[in-house]
Amino acid sequence: MTTSSTAESTSVVKDGVHYHQFDVVIVGAGGAGMRAAIEAGPGAKTAVITKLYPTRSHTGAAQGGMAAALANVEEDSWEWHTFDTIKGGDYLVDQDAAEILAKEAIDAVIDLENMGLPFNRTPEGKIDQRRFGGHTADHGKTPVRRACYAADRTGHMILQTLFQNCVKLGINFFNEFYALDLITVKDENGDTQVAGVVAYDLATGELHVFHSKAVIFATGGFGKIYKTTSNAHTLTGDGVGIVWRKGLPLEDIEFFQFHPTGLAGLGILLTEGARGEGAILRNASGERFMERYAPTIKDLAPRDIVARCMVKEVLEGRGAGPHKDYVYLDCTHLGAEVLETKLPDITEFARTYLGVDPVVEPVPVMPTAHYAMGGIPTNIKGEVLQANDKIVPGLYAAGECACVSVHGSNRLGTNSLLDINVFGKRSGRNAVEYVQSADFVPLPEDPAAEVREMIEGLRNNTGTERVAVLRKKLQEEMDANAQVFRTEETLTNVMGTIHDLRQRYKNIHVDDKGSRFNTDLLEAVELGFLLDLAEIVAYAARNRKESRGGHMREDFPDRDDENFMQHTMAYLTGDPHSPDPEDHIRLDWKPVVFTKNEKGELNYPPLERKY
C-alpha cells in the first residue's frame, strides 16, 4: 500500500474494514485517471485507486502518437480533424464531442509539453508530426501529418509525465488496490446516487471503503475477452463491469477495434506509426494490396478498413507463410536509421518475438483485438448517464472505459491518447466543480457486504473448474465467432458457449486460500467481468443487423443508416445466469448528436466511406 500521510490520517477501521473519506475518488491510474487527478487534486481532496502501480498502466503501451492540428509540418485545421474523426467513426460519432476533441487537442498537447513531455522535434525545434491512418487534409483529399509523437513510445512518455506531475501535486495514490464495487443508493425518486467505492487491498486482503462525493472511472478496456489481443493481462473491464452490475447502461458495446498490425499469432502491437513513416502492407506475392481497396490513402486507411482487407487477402488465398494465414508489413525500404530512431520498440519486438529483423525482411502481421469503442455512456462533461439524457450526479468516466461517443464505430489512431487527455481533464475539472456544492451521500450500513460475500464465495468454493481453462475457452470462442467478421450464427454460437461457461464458473476452484497478493483469487474475479462483457458484446452485435466501422456482419454487409444510425444502449435487467440473454439484457437506442451550421444544415452529413 502506498499512500500519503494525508490518506493515512483519514482512515478509520470498523469491523475489519478500513474507511476513508475524499471529495473525489478516481478509479484507475492510466492516462485518463492521472490527467483527471492533475485537474482535480489542486481543488479537492483527491484519491486515486489503482490495481497496478501507475507507471505499469496500459497507456504506457500506446506507441504511435497523439493527434492535434498544430500544423507544425503541414497545413492543418481542427475542422479537418473533426471531419476525419466523424467519418472515420462511420458517422456514429456524437459530433459535438468530436468538435471538442479536435478543438481542445491543441491545448492538450501544449499542456503535456509544459509538463515536460519530450516530444520529437522538427529541425526548427517545433513538435514534430507524422501521418496516421484516417487523418487527412481538406476533408479526405490527402494524408496529413497530424500525430505528435515521442519515437514509438508516446504512451509511455505520457504516462511517466503525468505520474511525475501527480507526485509533484501530492496526489494520494492507493496502489495495488482493486476496486470491486461502486457504492450507490437510491433517492426518494428511485434515481441512483453515488456514495463511493469499495476496494480490495492486494497486499493484505483487507477491504477499504472510500466514501466520496464524486467518483471518476478511468479503468481502461476489456480486450482480454479475446485471445489474440494487444491488451495487457490486466485489461479485464473491471470498471465497465462494475457499472453494468449496478444496473447502469453501457453504450455501443458491440464495436471493438481490431488493429491491423499485430505480430502474427501473438497479437503484440506494431504501431500504425510504422505505416505513417512509409511502411507498406504486402500479400504473399509482394503486392501492395491496399492500393486496390483504398487508392487515395492506401495503407493509411482507417483501421477497420485495413483490418478487413488483410483478412480478405488471407481468406481469398493470398496470405503468406506455411499456412497462408498472415500478410507482411514491409519496412525494409525505410532504412536502419529510421527504424532504430523513430521506431525502435517495434523493431525490437519483431526481433525478439518472431526472430524477424524489419531492417532486412518483412514482418508477419494480422489484426489483433485492440480497443473498445463502447463503454460507460457519458456526456461531454464526463458525467455518466443512467438514461439517455439523465446523469448520475457525481459519477464520471473517461478514457477507454467511457463512451462519449467520440470514436463512434471505429476510433482513428492517435485519438485515444488525445481522448484520455481531453476528457480526463474535463472529468477532473467538472468533478471538482460538482463537489464544491455537493454533500456526502450517507453510506449504507455495511457498504462492503456484497464485495465480502463475492470474495469469500470464490475463495471457499469447493468446485473443480479452473479459471485458466474457462478463460482460455472464452477467448478462443470470441476469436472464432465475434472478431473481425461476424454473422447471426457465429454470435449465437458464442452466446451459447458463454452461458455454459457461466454455469461452470459457479463451480470454479481457487487454490490459493491466502490473503496476501492472491492473484489466483484476483483472476477469478476478473473472469466474472470478462464473461459479463463478452456476452453483452455478442448480444448487441447480433442485434445490430448492419456493418459499420469495427462491426462487420457478413450476413448484413451494408451500412444501414435508416435503421441503425443510433447508439446501442444495453441494460442489465435480470439474473445473468439465465440461458437466454433476453431474460437479463434489455437493448434500447440513443440518437446520434449531429451539429448544424448557421443555415441549419448538417455540418457533417453521412457520406460514403471511400478513401
Side-chain angles (χ1 to χ4, degrees), residues 17 49 178-183 196-200 207-210 242 447-449 451-452:
V17 177
I49 302 168
Y178 188 12
L180 290 176
D181 195 20
L182 173 67
I183 306 170
V197 171
V198 181
Y200 174 82
L207 295 180
H208 290 247
V209 170
F210 293 85
I242 288 168
V451 172
R452 185 187 303 110

Side-chain angles (χ1 to χ4, degrees), residues 295-455:
T296 302
I297 57 177
K298 303 180 180 68
D299 305 273
L300 290 175
R303 288 174 177 174
D304 61 320
I305 293 173
V306 178
R308 287 196 295 273
C309 294
M310 292 170 65
V311 173
K312 188 175 181 182
E313 289 294 298
V314 168
L315 293 177
E316 294 182 356
R318 295 184 290 276
H323 305 292
K324 300 186 181 299
D325 56 354
Y326 55 75
V327 297
Y328 289 121
L329 181 68
D330 183 5
C331 306
T332 56
H333 56 288
L334 300 182
E337 183 178 353
V338 169
L339 288 169
E340 298 291 358
T341 58
K342 291 189 174 182
L343 301 165
D345 275 5
I346 72 157
T347 301
E348 190 61 30
F349 291 162
R351 290 168 177 164
T352 300
Y353 297 109
L354 289 184
V356 172
D357 187 351
V359 175
V360 295
E361 55 190 324
V363 182
V365 291
M366 272 301 276
T368 180
H370 182 58
Y371 189 91
M373 270 76 73
I376 304 167
T378 75
N379 60 21
I380 57 176
K381 294 183 176 181
E383 297 169 319
V384 172
L385 305 176
Q386 54 185 309
N388 284 5
D389 296 312
K390 190 174 187 179
I391 67 166
V392 181
L395 184 59
Y396 301 81
E400 190 175 353
C401 73
C403 183
V404 180
S405 159
V406 79
H407 304 307
S409 58
N410 172 63
R411 175 181 66 75
L412 292 188
T414 70
N415 270 359
S416 57
L417 291 179
L418 177 57
D419 177 13
I420 62 177
N421 280 281
V422 169
F423 289 101
K425 178 179 180 178
R426 281 180 156 251
S427 296
R429 184 177 65 214
N430 289 311
V432 169
E433 184 178 330
Y434 172 80
V435 302
Q436 287 172 350
S437 58
D439 296 322
F440 284 97
V441 174
L443 290 170
E445 180 146 350
D446 186 1
E450 290 184 22
V451 172
R452 185 187 303 110
E453 181 181 348
M454 176 180 65
I455 295 268

Side-chain angles (χ1 to χ4, degrees), residues 224-227 465-482 493-502 504 527 530-531 534:
K224 293 306 289 185
I225 62 173
Y226 292 99
K227 177 184 176 184
E465 294 283 0
R466 299 291 170 169
V467 170
V469 173
L470 301 189
R471 185 178 60 227
K472 181 181 178 183
K473 178 66 173 176
L474 170 68
Q475 293 170 339
E476 289 175 344
E477 290 294 309
M478 288 295 288
D479 261 21
N481 294 296
N493 287 343
V494 78
M495 282 190 285
T497 299
I498 292 168
H499 171 65
D500 293 342
L501 292 174
R502 281 193 186 281
R504 293 171 65 183
L527 177 59
L530 290 175
L531 288 168

Side-chain angles (χ1 to χ4, degrees), residues 244-259:
W244 171 250
R245 291 177 181 179
K246 302 307 288 191
L248 297 172
L250 300 180
E251 180 176 350
D252 287 343
I253 204 74
E254 65 269 36
F255 294 107
F256 210 96
Q257 181 173 91
F258 300 91
H259 194 294

